[in-house]
Coordinates of all heavy atoms in Angstrom, one line a residue:
D256 N 95.1 87.6 131.6 CA 93.8 87.0 131.8 C 93.1 86.5 130.5 O 92.0 86.0 130.5 CB 92.8 87.9 132.6 CG 92.6 89.2 131.9 OD1 92.9 89.4 130.7 OD2 92.0 90.2 132.5
M257 N 93.9 86.7 129.4 CA 93.4 86.1 128.1 C 93.9 84.7 127.8 O 93.5 84.1 126.8 CB 93.7 87.0 126.9 CG 93.2 88.5 127.1 SD 93.6 89.5 125.8 CE 94.1 91.0 126.7
L258 N 94.6 84.1 128.8 CA 95.2 82.8 128.7 C 94.3 81.8 129.4 O 93.6 82.3 130.4 CB 96.6 82.6 129.1 CG 97.6 83.7 128.6 CD1 99.1 83.3 129.1 CD2 97.6 83.7 127.1
V259 N 94.2 80.6 129.0 CA 93.4 79.7 129.9 C 94.2 79.2 131.1 O 93.6 78.7 132.1 CB 92.9 78.4 129.0 CG1 91.9 78.8 128.0 CG2 94.1 77.6 128.5
K260 N 95.5 79.3 131.0 CA 96.4 79.0 132.2 C 97.6 79.9 132.2 O 98.3 80.1 131.2 CB 96.8 77.5 132.1 CG 97.6 77.1 133.3 CD 97.8 75.6 133.4 CE 98.6 75.3 134.7 NZ 99.0 74.0 134.8
N261 N 97.8 80.5 133.3 CA 99.0 81.3 133.4 C 100.2 80.5 133.8 O 100.1 79.4 134.3 CB 98.8 82.4 134.5 CG 97.8 83.5 134.1 OD1 96.7 83.5 134.7 ND2 98.0 84.2 133.1
Y262 N 101.4 81.0 133.4 CA 102.6 80.2 133.7 C 103.8 81.1 133.7 O 103.7 82.3 133.4 CB 102.8 79.1 132.6 CG 102.8 79.7 131.1 CD1 104.0 79.9 130.5 CD2 101.7 79.9 130.4 CE1 104.2 80.4 129.2 CE2 101.8 80.5 129.1 CZ 102.9 80.7 128.5 OH 103.1 81.1 127.2
K263 N 104.9 80.5 134.2 CA 106.2 81.3 134.2 C 107.3 80.3 133.7 O 107.0 79.1 133.3 CB 106.5 81.8 135.7 CG 106.4 80.8 136.7 CD 106.5 81.4 138.1 CE 106.3 80.4 139.1 NZ 106.3 81.0 140.4
E264 N 108.6 80.8 133.8 CA 109.6 79.9 133.2 C 109.5 78.5 133.8 O 109.7 77.5 133.1 CB 111.0 80.5 133.5 CG 111.3 81.7 132.8 CD 111.8 82.9 133.7 OE1 112.7 82.6 134.5 OE2 111.1 83.9 133.7
T265 N 109.4 78.4 135.1 CA 109.5 77.1 135.7 C 108.3 76.2 135.4 O 108.3 75.0 135.6 CB 109.6 77.2 137.2 OG1 108.6 78.2 137.7 CG2 111.0 77.8 137.6
T266 N 107.1 76.9 134.9 CA 105.9 76.0 134.6 C 105.6 76.1 133.1 O 104.5 75.9 132.7 CB 104.8 76.5 135.4 OG1 104.6 77.9 135.3 CG2 105.0 76.2 136.9
V267 N 106.6 76.5 132.3 CA 106.3 76.8 130.9 C 105.8 75.5 130.2 O 104.9 75.7 129.3 CB 107.6 77.4 130.2 CG1 108.8 76.5 130.3 CG2 107.3 77.7 128.7
V268 N 106.3 74.4 130.5 CA 105.8 73.2 129.8 C 104.3 72.9 130.0 O 103.5 72.9 129.0 CB 106.6 72.0 130.2 CG1 106.1 70.7 129.5 CG2 108.1 72.2 129.7
S269 N 103.9 72.9 131.3 CA 102.5 72.6 131.6 C 101.6 73.8 131.2 O 100.5 73.6 130.6 CB 102.3 72.3 133.0 OG 102.7 73.4 133.8
G270 N 102.1 75.0 131.3 CA 101.4 76.2 131.0 C 101.1 76.3 129.5 O 100.0 76.5 129.1
K271 N 102.2 76.0 128.8 CA 101.9 76.2 127.3 C 101.0 75.0 126.8 O 100.2 75.2 125.9 CB 103.3 76.2 126.6 CG 103.9 77.6 126.6 CD 105.2 77.7 125.8 CE 104.9 77.7 124.3 NZ 104.3 79.0 123.9
K272 N 101.2 73.9 127.5 CA 100.4 72.7 127.0 C 98.9 73.0 127.2 O 98.1 72.7 126.3 CB 100.8 71.5 127.9 CG 100.5 70.2 127.3 CD 101.0 69.1 128.0 CE 100.5 67.7 127.6 NZ 100.9 66.6 128.4
A273 N 98.6 73.6 128.3 CA 97.1 73.9 128.5 C 96.6 74.9 127.5 O 95.5 74.7 126.9 CB 97.0 74.5 130.0
N274 N 97.4 75.9 127.2 CA 96.9 76.9 126.2 C 96.9 76.3 124.8 O 96.0 76.6 123.9 CB 97.8 78.1 126.2 CG 97.6 78.9 127.5 OD1 96.5 79.5 127.6 ND2 98.6 78.9 128.4
K275 N 97.9 75.4 124.5 CA 97.9 74.7 123.2 C 96.7 73.8 123.1 O 96.1 73.8 122.1 CB 99.2 73.9 123.1 CG 99.4 73.2 121.8 CD 100.8 72.5 121.7 CE 100.9 71.8 120.4 NZ 102.2 71.1 120.3
K276 N 96.4 73.2 124.2 CA 95.3 72.3 124.1 C 93.9 73.0 123.8 O 93.1 72.6 123.0 CB 95.0 71.5 125.4 CG 94.0 70.5 125.5 CD 94.0 69.6 126.6 CE 92.8 68.5 126.4 NZ 91.6 69.0 126.0
E277 N 93.8 74.2 124.4 CA 92.7 75.0 124.1 C 92.6 75.4 122.7 O 91.5 75.2 122.0 CB 92.7 76.3 125.0 CG 91.6 77.3 124.7 CD 90.3 76.9 125.1 OE1 90.1 76.0 126.0 OE2 89.3 77.4 124.5
L278 N 93.7 75.7 122.1 CA 93.7 76.1 120.7 C 93.4 74.9 119.8 O 92.7 75.0 118.9 CB 95.1 76.6 120.3 CG 95.5 78.0 120.3 CD1 96.9 78.4 119.9 CD2 94.5 78.9 119.4
C279 N 94.1 73.8 120.2 CA 93.8 72.6 119.4 C 92.4 72.1 119.4 O 91.8 71.7 118.4 CB 94.8 71.4 119.9 SG 96.5 71.8 119.5
D280 N 91.8 72.2 120.6 CA 90.4 71.8 120.7 C 89.5 72.6 119.9 O 88.6 72.2 119.1 CB 89.9 71.9 122.2 CG 90.5 70.7 123.0 OD1 91.2 69.8 122.5 OD2 90.4 70.8 124.3
R281 N 89.8 74.0 119.9 CA 89.0 74.9 119.2 C 89.1 74.7 117.7 O 88.2 74.9 116.9 CB 89.4 76.4 119.5 CG 88.8 76.9 120.7 CD 89.0 78.5 120.7 NE 89.1 78.9 122.0 CZ 89.4 80.2 122.4 NH1 89.7 81.0 121.4 NH2 89.5 80.6 123.5
Y282 N 90.3 74.4 117.3 CA 90.6 74.3 115.8 C 90.8 73.0 115.2 O 91.3 72.9 114.1 CB 91.7 75.4 115.5 CG 91.2 76.8 115.8 CD1 91.7 77.4 116.9 CD2 90.4 77.5 114.9 CE1 91.2 78.7 117.3 CE2 89.9 78.7 115.2 CZ 90.3 79.3 116.4 OH 89.9 80.6 116.7
G283 N 90.5 72.0 116.0 CA 90.6 70.6 115.5 C 92.1 70.1 115.1 O 92.3 69.5 114.2
F284 N 93.0 70.5 116.0 CA 94.4 70.0 115.8 C 94.8 68.9 116.8 O 94.2 68.7 117.8 CB 95.3 71.2 116.1 CG 95.2 72.3 115.1 CD1 95.4 73.6 115.5 CD2 95.0 72.1 113.7 CE1 95.4 74.6 114.6 CE2 94.9 73.2 112.8 CZ 95.1 74.4 113.3
N285 N 95.8 68.2 116.4 CA 96.3 67.1 117.3 C 97.4 67.8 118.2 O 98.4 68.3 117.7 CB 97.0 66.1 116.4 CG 97.7 65.0 117.3 OD1 97.9 65.1 118.4 ND2 98.1 63.9 116.6
V286 N 97.1 67.7 119.5 CA 98.0 68.5 120.4 C 99.4 68.0 120.5 O 100.3 68.7 121.0 CB 97.3 68.5 121.9 CG1 97.4 67.2 122.5 CG2 97.7 69.7 122.7
D287 N 99.6 66.8 120.0 CA 101.0 66.3 120.1 C 101.9 66.7 119.0 O 103.1 66.6 119.0 CB 101.0 64.7 120.0 CG 100.3 64.2 121.3 OD1 100.5 64.7 122.3 OD2 99.5 63.2 121.2
L288 N 101.3 67.3 117.9 CA 102.1 67.8 116.8 C 102.6 69.2 117.0 O 101.9 70.0 117.7 CB 101.4 67.7 115.5 CG 100.8 66.3 115.1 CD1 100.1 66.4 113.8 CD2 101.9 65.3 115.1
P289 N 103.8 69.6 116.4 CA 104.2 71.0 116.6 C 103.2 71.9 116.0 O 102.7 71.7 114.9 CB 105.5 71.0 115.9 CG 105.6 69.8 115.0 CD 104.7 68.8 115.7
L290 N 103.0 73.0 116.7 CA 101.9 74.0 116.2 C 102.6 75.3 115.8 O 103.3 75.9 116.6 CB 100.9 74.3 117.3 CG 99.8 75.3 117.0 CD1 99.0 75.0 115.7 CD2 98.8 75.4 118.2
F291 N 102.4 75.7 114.6 CA 103.1 76.9 114.1 C 101.9 78.0 113.9 O 100.9 77.7 113.3 CB 103.6 76.6 112.6 CG 104.8 75.6 112.7 CD1 104.5 74.3 112.7 CD2 106.1 76.2 112.6 CE1 105.6 73.4 112.7 CE2 107.1 75.3 112.7 CZ 106.9 73.9 112.7

Side-chain angles (χ1 to χ4, degrees):
D256 59 12
M257 297 180 232
L258 308 187
V259 292
K260 187 170 178 189
N261 291 113
Y262 57 98
K263 51 187 176 184
E264 288 128 55
T265 49
T266 55
V267 58
V268 175
S269 61
K271 282 187 72 70
K272 198 171 173 188
N274 288 292
K275 182 175 178 182
K276 185 170 182 317
E277 174 67 24
L278 267 181
C279 290
D280 289 349
R281 275 195 213 173
Y282 294 101
F284 295 143
N285 176 349
V286 76
D287 295 325
L288 301 182
L290 176 57
F291 295 80

